[in-house]
């Protein structure tokens, strides 16, 4: 059944409302990470095609910005409704190309759809403001206009939500877009293109442009003077490259980059709640999440109890193909992601770490890795200083609060963090000392379309979701006026 669904997805570039092959015939093979088999191939856009996508987005821009905000809102609302109606199909497509379980795929689709609903509600509320200058010399008028044609580049781990978190605010703001999905997961993005067309998005307003030549095409698009914005979600390494390129023309940038989230359990935490939170914060998408808990710090007085209960819960999880009944954890996205996870665990074990559960890769096919809990880790171990992006939880003991705060902040990243304590005042005081843009207090689940999502330090620039997400696609204009 899912094979028929996959073969129903258009596989060419979606430019100006048309499905076009790549001008040089290049294609990308899409692999099911549960079987390692190719399930589809899609057009891989060339630099010349990228200019075609900019032409289409630029031509559509004048009419889209002139479309009343209320009408833009209704299109976004329709996209929310269609996404909700098509949730089973979309979740199945996500699971086939990315690996997550059907239940997680449904969760992602619901979250992704919420961005259309939220920004449908925000679109008519982009009001400027007006006031008298304090000196009384003139009036101050501030209004907003869209930043213009926007390049959106997304990662593979949440192929629907990372797309809608950018498309919805961009369209609400009056921008037209070119979405470049990750090469591992172009099918969800192409399915989204069809959905947006059905929702009434005019031709050229959203262009979906898979390409395995990401550097070449982003260079071409960012060199084009008709392009006003790049909004990127992915690794810090690639974010740096894009920022350097964007600096040539001072292109407006939003960057959602990598993380290395600490998860801190204080001595007075409810251990069962901390374990429940750890399971969510660690195991969302098999650990392949930018806000995934990466390092666990537990107070010495409760660390063994926390580790034992956490390991017991991890050992209960069933690993297997995401669409199979009863499976809790799907495969990792590709061989290199799985090999990196395996290397980090083996390296920690070689340094004297103790594996409480997991620690092995099951027999293939499929890029599986067992849910793993590791303790007794050397503080210098690579596993504590690298974004693991897999189902592995390293646990470290601490005694002093000031020490754990220092250790938690000892990273170039500052995306997410988690604090567990039954004394909320104490937990909040720790939270306020953490360099992180998103903090869960007694909660492992933190994503919310109504909340600002983004990182400090080298985890990014700007915020997605909330009212902030729309302002990333707007320019402010101040007019000094007298009448
Ligand atoms: P990635 O390697 O940085 O790739 C992300 C996207 O950038 C893909 O579409 C990729 O295209 C493209 N890309 C790669 N090199 C490029 C270049 N030189 N110029 C322009 N585009 C380029 O990241 P990933 O492996 O897909 O995703 C995992 C990373 O994303 C992790 O670090 C994670 O923390 C981060 N992430 C952050 C957030 C957040 O909100 N902060 C959310 C999710 C993920 P190809 O696939 O064609 O190479």
């Amino acid at each position: 059944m899912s094979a028929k669904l996959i073969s129903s997805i258009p596989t060419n570039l979606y430019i100006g409302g048309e499905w076009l092959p790549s001008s040089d015939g290049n294609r990308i093979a899409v692999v099911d990470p549960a079987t390692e088999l190719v399930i589809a191939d899609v057009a891989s856009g060339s630099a010349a095609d990228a200019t075609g996508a900019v032409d289409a987005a630029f031509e559509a821009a004048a009419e889209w910005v002139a479309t009343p905000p209320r009408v833009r809102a209704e299109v976004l609302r329709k996209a929310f409704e269609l996404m909700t109606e098509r949730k089973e199909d979309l979740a199945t497509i996500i699971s086939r190309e990315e690996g997550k379980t059907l239940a997680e795929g449904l969760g992602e689709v619901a979250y992704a759809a919420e961005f259309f609903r939220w920004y449908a509600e925000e679109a008519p509320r982009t009001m400027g403001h007006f006031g008298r200058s304090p000196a009384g010399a003139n009036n101050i008028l501030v209004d907003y206009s869209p930043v213009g044609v926007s390049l959106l580049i997304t990662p593979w781990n949440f192929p629907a939500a990372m797309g809608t978190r950018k498309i919805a605010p961009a369209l609400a703001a009056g921008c037209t877009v070119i979405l470049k999905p990750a090469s591992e997961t172009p099918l969800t993005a192409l399915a989204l293109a069809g959905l947006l067309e059905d929702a009434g998005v005019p031709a050229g307003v959203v262009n979906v442009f898979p390409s395995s030549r990401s550097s070449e095409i982003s260079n071409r698009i960012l060199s084009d003077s008709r392009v006003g914005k790049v909004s990127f979600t992915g690794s810090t390494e690639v974010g740096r490259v894009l920022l350097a390129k964007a600096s040539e023309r001072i292109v407006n940038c939003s960057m959602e980059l990598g993380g290395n989230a600490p998860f801190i359990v204080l001595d007075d935490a409810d251990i069962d709640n901390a374990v429940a939170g750890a399971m969510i914060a660690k195991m969302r998408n098999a650990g392949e999440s930018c806000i995934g808990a990466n390092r666990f710090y537990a107070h010495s007085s409760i660390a063994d109890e926390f580790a034992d209960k956490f390991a017991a819960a991890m050992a209960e999880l069933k690993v297997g193909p995401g669409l199979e009944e009863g499976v809790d954890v799907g495969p990792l996205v590709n061989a290199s992601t799985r090999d990196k996870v395996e290397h980090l665990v083996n390296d920690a074990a070689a340094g004297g770490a103790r594996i409480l559960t997991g620690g092995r890769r099951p027999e293939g096919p499929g890029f599986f890795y067992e849910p793993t809990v590791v303790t007794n880790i050397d503080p210098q171990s690579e596993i504590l200083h690298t974004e693991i992006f897999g189902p592995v939880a390293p646990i470290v003991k601490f005694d002093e609060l000031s020490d754990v705060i220092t250790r938690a902040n000892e990273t170039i990243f500052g995306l997410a963090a988690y604090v567990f304590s039954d004394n909320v005042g104490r937990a909040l005081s720790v939270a306020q000392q953490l360099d992180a843009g998103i903090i869960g207090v007694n909660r492992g689940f933190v994503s919310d379309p109504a909340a600002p999502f983004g990182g400090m330090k080298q985890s990014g620039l700007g915020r997605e979701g909330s009212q902030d997400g729309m302002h990333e696609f707007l320019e402010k204009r101040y007019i000094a006026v007298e009448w």
Side-chain angles (χ1 to χ4, degrees):
M1 203 189 100
S2 73
K4 204 167 150 205
L5 173 65
I6 297 294
S7 62
S8 72
I9 304 167
T11 56
N12 278 337
L13 310 170
Y14 182 67
I15 298 176
E18 290 183 72
W19 295 97
L20 305 173
S22 154
S23 56
D24 59 8
N26 243 284
R27 313 274 303 170
I28 302 168
V30 183
V31 172
D32 178 343
T35 60
E36 303 185 29
L37 298 174
V38 174
I39 52 170
D41 66 87
V42 308
S44 171
S46 66
D49 299 325
T51 296
V54 176
D55 292 344
F58 187 72
E59 273 163 32
E63 205 173 316
W64 185 244
V65 73
T67 301
R70 173 69 72 211
V71 176
R72 295 202 296 260
E74 279 159 6
V75 170
L76 290 170
R77 173 75 201 190
K78 184 71 187 163
F80 163 72
E81 285 161 11
L82 288 180
M83 210 165 176
T84 307
E85 260 170 44
R86 298 180 192 177
K87 64 183 180 207
E88 297 278 346
D89 282 358
L90 287 165
T92 304
I93 297 165
I94 294 171
S95 179
R96 285 300 305 275
E97 66 176 352
E98 197 271 343
K100 63 173 57 110
T101 63
L102 186 63
E104 282 194 284
L106 287 167
E108 179 182 343
V109 175
Y111 174 56
E114 282 300 333
F115 288 102
F116 287 132
R117 176 152 68 172
W118 175 267
Y119 287 106
E121 290 159 355
E122 284 299 305
R125 289 175 175 69
T126 318
M127 303 290 173
H129 57 268
F130 168 78
R132 190 82 180 151
S133 77
N138 61 281
N139 295 302
I140 292 171
L141 186 63
V142 177
D143 76 347
Y144 295 104
S145 56
V147 289
V149 173
S150 299
L151 170 62
L152 316 178
I153 305 180
T154 51
W156 47 262
N157 57 349
F158 292 91
M162 297 301 95
T164 62
R165 201 163 77 176
K166 297 185 190 301
I167 295 169
L171 265 52
C175 296
T176 58
V177 305
I178 301 159
L179 171 68
K180 206 240 50 94
S183 294
E184 268 92 354
T185 55
L187 297 173
T188 306
L190 293 167
L192 262 182
L195 183 148
L196 288 167
E197 186 174 290
D198 294 347
V201 173
V205 171
V206 173
N207 303 279
V208 177
F209 194 91
S211 175
S212 57
R213 294 165 277 185
S214 44
S215 172
E216 200 184 326
I217 69 120
S218 62
N219 281 343
R220 171 68 72 99
I221 293 174
L222 291 176
S223 299
D224 194 313
S225 60
R226 296 170 296 173
V227 174
K229 167 95 193 174
V230 57
S231 174
F232 172 72
T233 298
S235 60
T236 296
E237 195 185 352
V238 172
R240 242 180 240 123
V241 171
L242 287 168
L243 282 167
K245 180 66 194 171
S247 72
E248 289 171 14
R249 284 199 309 110
I250 319 293
V251 172
N252 183 316
C253 293
S254 296
M255 296 278 146
E256 294 286 343
L257 308 177
N260 181 3
F263 185 107
I264 302 171
V265 190
L266 302 190
D267 51 357
D268 59 0
D270 172 334
I271 301 301
D272 292 335
N273 187 46
V275 169
M279 291 299 287
I280 294 169
K282 177 73 256 178
M283 293 308 290
R284 184 188 299 109
N285 201 29
E288 297 166 306
S289 162
C290 54
I291 54 171
N294 208 50
R295 304 167 281 154
F296 292 80
Y297 295 104
H299 190 268
S300 300
S301 62
I302 47 86
D304 290 342
E305 184 190 351
F306 173 73
D308 289 345
K309 286 186 167 171
F310 190 11
M314 291 282 264
E316 289 280 300
L317 299 175
K318 184 174 172 203
V319 178
L323 290 180
E324 216 171 271
E325 192 82 15
V327 165
D328 302 299
V329 186
L332 297 175
V333 74
N334 54 29
S336 63
T337 303
R338 190 263 324 272
D339 293 348
K340 177 185 169 193
V341 171
E342 185 179 38
H343 158 75
L344 289 172
V345 175
N346 291 347
D347 176 69
R354 196 171 145 233
I355 296 174
L356 294 191
T357 187
R360 281 172 307 154
R361 74 195 238 190
E363 285 293 304
F367 309 119
F368 298 100
Y369 198 81
E370 290 178 348
T372 300
V373 176
V374 190
T375 59
N376 288 15
I377 302 155
D378 181 316
Q380 297 314 318
S381 186
E382 197 183 345
I383 201 165
L384 298 176
H385 302 279
T386 308
E387 192 177 24
I388 301 171
F389 243 56
V392 175
I395 304 178
V396 175
K397 291 183 183 179
F398 73 89
D399 290 307
E400 299 299 328
L401 209 48
S402 57
D403 175 48
V404 76
I405 291 167
T406 304
R407 281 198 268 170
N409 287 336
E410 260 170 9
T411 164
I412 60 163
F413 299 108
L415 187 58
Y418 303 85
V419 185
F420 281 71
S421 163
D422 264 7
N423 180 336
V424 174
R426 204 166 160 233
L428 287 176
S429 147
V430 173
Q432 287 189 317
Q433 296 173 71
L434 295 175
D435 304 335
I438 304 160
I439 302 179
V441 169
N442 294 329
R443 269 184 78 75
F445 190 86
V446 289
S447 301
D448 190 324
F453 190 108
M456 296 183 181
K457 301 199 288 194
Q458 295 187 33
S459 285
L461 294 172
R463 294 293 181 270
E464 291 191 325
S466 75
Q467 290 172 337
D468 295 1
M470 189 154 151
H471 284 275
E472 299 282 320
F473 289 94
L474 291 168
E475 292 273 22
K476 233 175 214 178
R477 181 187 296 104
Y478 150 59
I479 305 170
V481 60
E482 200 54 81
W483 60 79

